[in-house]
Every structure is written in C-alpha cells, then in structure tokens.
C-alpha cells in the first residue's frame, strides 16, 4: 500500500515537473526553432534564445555568419550554400538545423490591368445544336459521342487550329456521304470517333450539330515580371471556358494593355467586376504559353511599368509570409496602378505547390467605398509585405466581398519556370 502511494506521488511529481519544464521559456524557444531554415543571399534571420547554446556551422562556415547574444541567435547568409547548424549546450549536441541559402532573386511587381486573348488547342465543343432534318431534329455531334468540353484537334488526319478549318471537311463529307474521322482531346486523353454531318432542310447546308469556339478573351491583372528572363505571371488562377467551366487548353495567346472604364461594386452574394477595354492601339506586349491553376504565363515583348515599384524587389517564400498588414497593387481607374491596404488573415506555409495559400481582407477605406472589396478583374493583383512580393489575389469570397484567397508568389514563379532554388546553377557547376 505504501509502495503504491509512493509510486503515485513520484508519477505526479514527474508529470508536474514535465509540465513546468515544457512551459519554461528556454524549452519553448528550443521547440520553436525550426528543423530547416531557408534563406536568401544577404538575408538576416534572428531567433530568441534565452538559454546558453553554442552554434556550430557544419560545411557552411564561409557562407553563413552566426551571432549569439544573451537573448538572441542571428544568422546572416552571405552566399548560396547548404549545410547544417549544430546547437550545443555544455558541449552536448541538442539539435541539428538544416540550412539552405538560395540565390538572391528579385522581380518587378505588376498591378497593371491587362487584356488577355487565348487561342485554344484545336476547337472547343461548348454545346449541342439540333439540326432540323427530314427525319426530325438531331445533333450529329451528340450521336457521335462527343461531349461538351471535348477539343477537336484533328479531322481526317489534318490538324485543326480554328473553326474555319472545319468547314471544308464538313462540306466534303456531306457531298460524299463519308463520315468525318475525328480525333478528340478529353481530360488529357486522346479519343477517336466518327461523325456524319446531316443536311439542314431549311438551307440545305450540312452541319455537325455542335457549338464550337476557338478563342477566348478577358481582363486580369499582371502579377510580376522578371527582367532577367523577360518571363511574367498574371491572374493567379486558371482561365476556364465560360460555358464548359473547364480549363482552356492553350495553343497560344497574347496579352495587351487594358484600361478600366468603370467598376461594378461587389456585395454579399454578388461579386463585383472591373469593366475594362483593350487599349486603343491594341498593342501586344507579350505572349501566353501556359494556362495553369497558378495563372497565365509567358514572356513580355515590351517592358512595362507600374509607376510605384519599377525596380526589382525580393520575394518571400510561403513559410516567410506573416499574418498582418500588407499592400495590394491594382487599377480601379483608367490605367493608374495604386497601392491599397489589406490584411493577411492567414498564410499556410506550403511545402509543395498549391493554390489558396493565403486568406486576405481589404482594409483600405477608399477601395472598400469604390469596389466593395475584391472584384472580378483583380485576380493577379500582387501582394507586398515588408518590402517583399509575397503573393497574388486570386478569388473573392462570394458572401463577403471584402475578403478572398491569394496564392503564394513562390508557386507562380515556379510555374513560370523561374529558377528560385538555384537548381540550374547547381547543375551547371
């Protein structure tokens, strides 16, 4: 009985001791110290450090300076490198921290309103059309098993690039009675089918019974421009077809300057919109090579300026973005880029490319009065925090136009093919 009581008392004592120790400042600081630290060349990182530790750099002594004071531990990255920092207490190793120093990458933030013109790969099927024949109304396309969202890429062994390319084949098939041999792209799979055009009894023309489209146009916002490679990123989300709601598979496209003519103010349940037109000269300023979940990407043929931040600025990786005040660059009148106050409500330190890593809220009184918050056309508006480009606006909350999602700039740069992590230099060396 006495032994059982002693065991219980010892157990309680150990539990209380563990709780007290775990709540102590040094232990909390130790637990907060990450297992991996990623920095850029020239960057400084500091951590609170109340307990007496000695930091020893392994393999990186020339590229990283370590400074230990009574209450902090500071690291300064001098050049690109990888290695470990060993923390010792009383000569005993207590923790290893992997350190990676990345090249000092800087890009120019955007904010400009841009016009977007996309040309699809092949022609996109957006609906069925019933042909009035002698035997009733039928859709040859639907009878052939073609679905809305399919892309017709090839007819009778010939590539199809635009809608007008189909007309000669339809006419020829109608005259000969031979079905069209179609190659379709469906959910990234190639499918073959046959389609027999039917004659419309009204005008005696042969038709395939499909509504098709070969291009799309709209407006958005430029996010960044890399002066070294001339690559850019915009929008921050994929462009989908307005009818099929599926991402547009791009063959090519162009971007040009656009001018905001008016704003439809957003409200709960009713997202607002920027109304804009392509600039009068319709001068193409860049191409579009990729339409992805992270935006549209390509290269600029002409440099652009926003008038606020026309010099390259550093970027922040996803784990470096903090909750708190930030700025959003966008246009609400004509072609003038302005900076508006926002708050980063939450930021997920993503380890792999993913969308919707940020939640933001507009706090700027003037922007709230003018637009109600985030409106369509603001997608791609760059987000700046502490002098760094951290992300871009992507979506508005339908029931709360003052708030919305953003994407981390790290993933947009990665999607643009810009070497953030120094892999190309490492391979070359």
């Amino acid at each position: 009985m006495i032994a059982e009581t002693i065991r219980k008392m010892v157990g309680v004592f150990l539990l209380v001791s563990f709780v007290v120790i775990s709540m102590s400042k040094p232990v909390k600081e130790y637990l907060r110290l990450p297992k991996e630290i990623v920095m850029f060349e020239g960057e400084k990182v500091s951590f609170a450090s109340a307990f007496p530790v000695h930091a020893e750099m392994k393999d990186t002594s020339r590229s990283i300076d370590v400074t230990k004071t009574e209450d902090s531990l500071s690291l300064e990255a001098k050049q690109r490198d990888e290695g470990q920092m060993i923390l010792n207490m009383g000569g005993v190793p207590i923790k290893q921290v992997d350190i990676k120093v990345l090249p000092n990458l800087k890009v120019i933030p955007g904010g400009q309103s841009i016009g977007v013109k996309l040309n699809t790969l092949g022609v996109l099927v957006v609906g069925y059309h019933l042909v009035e024949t002698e035997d009733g109304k039928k859709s040859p396309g639907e009878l052939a098993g073609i679905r809305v969202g399919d892309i017709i890429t090839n007819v009778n062994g010939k590539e199809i690039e635009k809608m007008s390319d189909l007309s000669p084949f339809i006419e020829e098939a109608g005259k000969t009675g031979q079905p069209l041999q179609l190659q379709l792209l469906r959910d990234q799979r190639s499918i073959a089918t046959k389609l027999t055009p039917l004659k419309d009894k009204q005008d005696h023309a042969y038709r395939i019974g499909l509504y098709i489209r070969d291009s799309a146009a709209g407006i958005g916002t430029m996010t960044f421009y890399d002066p070294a490679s001339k690559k850019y990123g915009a929008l921050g989300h994929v462009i989908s077809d307005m009818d099929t709601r599926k991402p547009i598979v791009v063959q090519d496209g162009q971007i040009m300057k656009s001018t905001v003519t008016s704003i439809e103010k957003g409200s709960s349940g009713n997202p607002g919109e920027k109304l804009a037109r392509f600039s009068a000269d319709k001068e193409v300023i860049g191409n579009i090579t990729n339409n992805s979940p992270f935006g549209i990407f390509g290269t600029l043929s002409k440099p652009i300026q926003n008038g606020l931040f026309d010099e390259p600025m550093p970027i922040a990786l996803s784990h470096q973005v903090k909750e708190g005040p930030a700025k959003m660059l966008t246009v609400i009148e004509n072609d003038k880029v302005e900076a508006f106050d926002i708050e980063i409500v939450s930021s997920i330190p993503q380890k792999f490319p993913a969308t919707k890593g940020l939640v933001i809220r507009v706090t700027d009184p003037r922007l709230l009065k003018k637009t109600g918050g985030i409106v369509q056309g603001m997608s791609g508006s760059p987000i700046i925090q502490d002098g760094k480009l951290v992300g871009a606006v992507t979506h508005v909350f339908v029931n709360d136009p003052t708030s919305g999602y953003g994407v981390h700039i790290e993933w947009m740069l990665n999607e643009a093919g810009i070497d953030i992590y120094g892999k190309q230099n490492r391979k070359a060396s």
Side-chain angles (χ1 to χ4, degrees):
M1 192 74 176
I2 296 175
E4 180 67 22
T5 303
I6 292 174
R7 276 198 298 270
K8 287 182 179 180
M9 292 177 65
V10 170
V12 171
F13 173 77
L14 291 174
L15 178 62
V16 172
S17 298
F18 175 78
V19 171
V20 171
I21 292 171
S22 64
M23 294 290 287
S24 67
K25 187 176 180 182
V27 172
K28 281 184 176 180
E29 290 173 357
Y30 168 78
L31 293 174
R32 277 201 297 262
L33 199 64
K35 293 181 180 179
E36 182 184 51
I37 298 174
V38 181
M39 308 168 64
F40 289 100
E41 291 175 324
E43 187 177 7
K44 266 189 174 183
V45 177
S46 295
F47 301 94
S49 177
F51 57 103
V53 298
H54 173 69
E56 178 184 334
M57 300 306 303
K58 185 178 178 182
D59 303 326
T60 58
S61 57
R62 295 183 179 179
S63 56
I64 300 174
D65 284 338
V66 181
T67 305
K68 177 70 177 75
T69 64
E70 290 185 2
D71 56 1
S72 70
L73 181 68
S74 299
L75 308 177
E76 182 176 3
K78 296 190 289 186
Q79 63 186 43
R80 181 167 63 89
D81 205 348
E82 291 184 21
Q84 291 83 37
M85 177 175 66
I86 310 297
L87 296 178
N88 299 301
M89 183 179 289
V92 178
I94 60 171
K95 188 164 188 174
Q96 175 178 299
V97 180
D98 294 326
I99 298 181
K100 184 182 294 184
V101 180
L102 303 181
N104 187 18
L105 175 67
K106 293 184 178 181
V107 296
I108 299 175
Q112 302 89 342
S113 181
I114 56 171
V116 178
K117 292 182 69 176
L118 289 177
N119 299 314
T120 65
L121 176 68
V123 294
L124 177 66
V125 177
V126 297
Y128 298 121
H129 166 65
L130 294 177
V131 181
E132 194 169 342
T133 71
E134 298 295 343
D135 299 324
K137 294 182 178 181
K138 301 176 182 179
S139 169
E142 189 173 14
L143 293 172
I146 297 174
R147 300 178 187 176
V148 172
D150 286 352
I151 300 170
I152 302 173
T153 60
N154 193 293
V155 176
N156 294 349
K158 301 290 185 181
E159 286 189 2
I160 298 298
E161 295 183 353
K162 52 187 181 295
M163 291 189 295
S164 59
D165 292 344
L166 277 172
S167 300
F169 292 105
I170 297 171
E171 188 176 343
E172 181 68 19
K175 290 178 181 177
T176 63
Q178 295 295 316
L180 299 171
Q181 307 288 331
L182 301 183
Q183 201 72 31
L184 310 173
L185 188 64
R186 178 184 298 164
D187 298 327
Q188 298 183 337
R189 293 184 297 115
S190 184
I191 297 171
T193 190
K194 296 179 181 180
L195 185 154
T196 302
L198 296 176
K199 182 186 284 187
D200 191 314
K201 73 175 187 179
Q202 299 294 330
D203 59 10
H204 307 292
Y206 285 93
R207 307 194 186 282
I208 59 174
L210 296 172
Y211 290 112
I212 57 177
R213 182 156 49 235
D214 60 11
S215 62
I219 68 159
T221 303
M222 178 69 69
T223 304
F224 70 84
Y225 164 62
D226 176 25
S229 64
K230 295 184 170 53
K231 293 178 179 178
Y232 77 87
L235 268 67
H237 64 74
V238 72
I239 299 178
S240 298
D241 181 77
M242 60 185 295
D243 293 307
T244 68
R245 301 297 179 188
K246 291 187 176 183
I248 296 175
V249 182
V250 176
Q251 176 169 301
D252 57 50
Q254 303 84 36
I255 60 170
M256 54 196 70
K257 295 178 182 178
S258 74
T259 300
V260 176
T261 55
S262 61
I263 300 284
E264 287 187 1
K265 191 173 181 178
S267 59
S268 179
N270 182 31
E273 183 180 5
K274 283 186 187 183
L275 301 179
R277 56 176 173 77
F278 291 177
S279 296
D281 57 10
K282 294 185 178 179
E283 181 183 19
V284 174
I285 60 173
N287 65 3
I288 301 173
T289 57
N290 188 16
N291 176 34
S292 87
F294 299 95
I296 59 170
F297 303 91
T299 56
L300 291 187
S301 53
K302 296 180 180 297
I304 56 174
Q305 295 183 325
N306 61 30
L308 293 175
F309 300 95
D310 291 325
E311 294 297 324
M313 70 165 47
I315 67 162
L317 302 178
S318 65
H319 71 276
Q320 296 175 318
V321 183
K322 307 186 297 288
E323 296 177 1
K327 295 281 187 181
M328 175 180 73
L329 305 184
T330 200
V331 175
I332 59 173
E333 293 178 359
N334 299 319
D335 55 4
K336 182 182 179 183
V337 178
E338 298 181 77
F340 298 99
D341 292 325
I342 64 170
E343 180 183 1
I344 297 177
V345 178
S346 71
S347 175
I348 302 171
Q350 300 158 322
K351 291 186 177 181
F352 302 100
T355 58
K356 298 182 179 179
L358 300 168
V359 174
I360 63 170
R361 181 171 62 242
V362 175
T363 58
D364 195 288
R366 179 167 166 258
L367 187 61
L368 290 170
K369 183 178 180 181
K370 180 77 173 180
T371 67
I374 301 168
V375 297
Q376 295 178 50
M378 283 184 183
S379 298
S381 297
I383 300 170
I384 295 173
Q385 184 183 62
D386 297 333
K388 294 182 178 181
L389 179 60
V390 304
V393 179
T394 59
H395 298 82
V396 61
F397 292 168
V398 175
N399 294 323
D400 179 14
T402 67
S403 302
Y405 288 113
V407 61
H408 287 115
I409 197 64
E410 179 176 0
W411 311 133
M412 289 189 70
L413 292 166
N414 187 60
E415 193 74 6
I418 295 173
D419 184 26
I420 309 173
Y421 312 109
K423 292 178 181 178
Q424 293 169 8
N425 292 338
R426 203 171 298 135
K427 287 179 182 177
S429 60

